Amino acid sequence: MIDLDRLRRRTDTGIVALLWLGFGFVAARAFFGTEANVVVLLAGGLAVAGMTTLTWRLDPVGTTTRIVTGSAHAVLVALLVYAFAGSGLQIDMHMYFFAVLVVTAAWIDWRPIVAFAAVTAVHHLALDLVLPAAVFNGDATLARVFLHAGILVLEAGALIALVGVVANAFAAAGRNLDEAKAAGEEARRMGGEAESARSRELIAAEERRAVVEAEARVLERFVGDIGVGFARLAEGDLTVRLAEPAGCGYVPIRRSFNASVERLEDAIGSVVDAIGSIRTGLAEISTA
């Protein structure tokens, strides 16, 4: 309903300004001459307009302000009708009731409409009995009062139905906007999660690549070391050993290579010793 409040803030000043315009009409009628009580017109109009303006300043679009402005407009129109007491235009001034009633619908709220209609109804019924001249110039019968009341009720009903449709439209738009915002937030959240997942996957892939590269370097170093070992072994160097540390996966191979070369060295040593013994034996035979 935030947009509805924004719309009301665009109309609240105009509604209050129209209230003071009505007071200006009453004051002008009092200034140019009237059969009505001037003190009632000016003091009543000023009090109603002033108190309503104060309420509006305290809470520009609140429910209380809306109801008070609806009632105040009805009172100002009633004073204007009273200001034309004794004039042939008094009956025509009743049309101002219907015109101002439409303005109260600008609040998009049924309450000021009902307040305006209620004050108008009380005004017509009460003054028709107490002071008919303040309402009608001439024949102030109940039939005329009920005729005006019927028209007023019909207009008020139509306006209430209209503002209900508009208010519902704003409410639906607000709900749709909230749902759209929620959907947007959910989409952004899911997008953030997807981006986080992609980031984690990239980090994991980078870690896997680093591990593979490290293993490749270890394998390359091991192949180089064992190649050097076999080359020295081929040259007859039985003292060669794979002393450089290798990856965990290649430790058994390194140990097997070293053990094999060591056994080979022992075997060759045994053969050399046997050959020496044979030579010694042959020498002793030759001497004998």
Side-chain angles (χ1 to χ4, degrees), residues 53-240:
T53 302
L54 178 62
T55 303
W56 166 68
R57 291 298 298 270
L58 294 175
D59 188 8
V61 297
T63 302
T64 301
T65 299
R66 286 176 252 156
I67 295 174
V68 169
T69 54
S71 303
H73 271 294
V75 173
L76 259 297
V77 178
L79 288 175
L80 185 61
V81 171
Y82 175 49
F84 279 86
S87 171
L89 295 176
Q90 187 181 38
I91 189 66
D92 300 305
M93 295 309 300
H94 280 257
M95 290 186 295
Y96 198 43
F97 277 107
F98 306 112
V100 176
L101 178 59
V102 174
V103 175
T104 61
W107 284 121
I108 315 299
D109 186 358
W110 60 270
R111 298 176 185 86
I113 299 173
V114 171
F116 185 99
V119 171
T120 303
V122 171
H123 163 262
H124 276 55
L125 290 173
L127 292 188
D128 184 65
L129 298 175
V130 179
L131 188 61
V135 184
F136 297 108
N137 181 24
D139 187 16
T141 63
L142 283 177
R144 175 174 282 179
V145 172
F146 285 124
L147 175 61
H148 282 230
I151 297 174
L152 187 71
V153 168
L154 181 62
E155 182 181 4
L159 290 175
I160 290 173
L162 177 61
V163 299
V165 171
V166 175
N168 290 336
F170 270 96
R175 289 192 298 270
N176 293 336
L177 180 60
D178 291 340
E179 291 175 359
K181 288 181 178 178
E185 290 295 331
E186 181 66 15
R188 283 191 290 272
R189 184 186 65 79
M190 294 180 65
E193 292 180 353
E195 184 64 27
S196 298
R198 285 194 295 270
S199 298
R200 290 193 297 270
E201 181 62 26
L202 289 175
I203 293 173
E206 184 65 23
E207 291 176 350
R208 289 194 298 270
R209 185 183 65 82
V211 170
V212 170
E213 290 180 351
E215 292 178 350
R217 287 193 296 269
V218 171
L219 176 60
E220 182 180 1
R221 185 169 61 250
F222 175 73
V223 170
D225 291 344
I226 202 170
V228 171
F230 277 116
R232 290 175 60 185
L233 187 61
E235 293 174 356
D237 185 1
L238 298 179
T239 62
V240 63

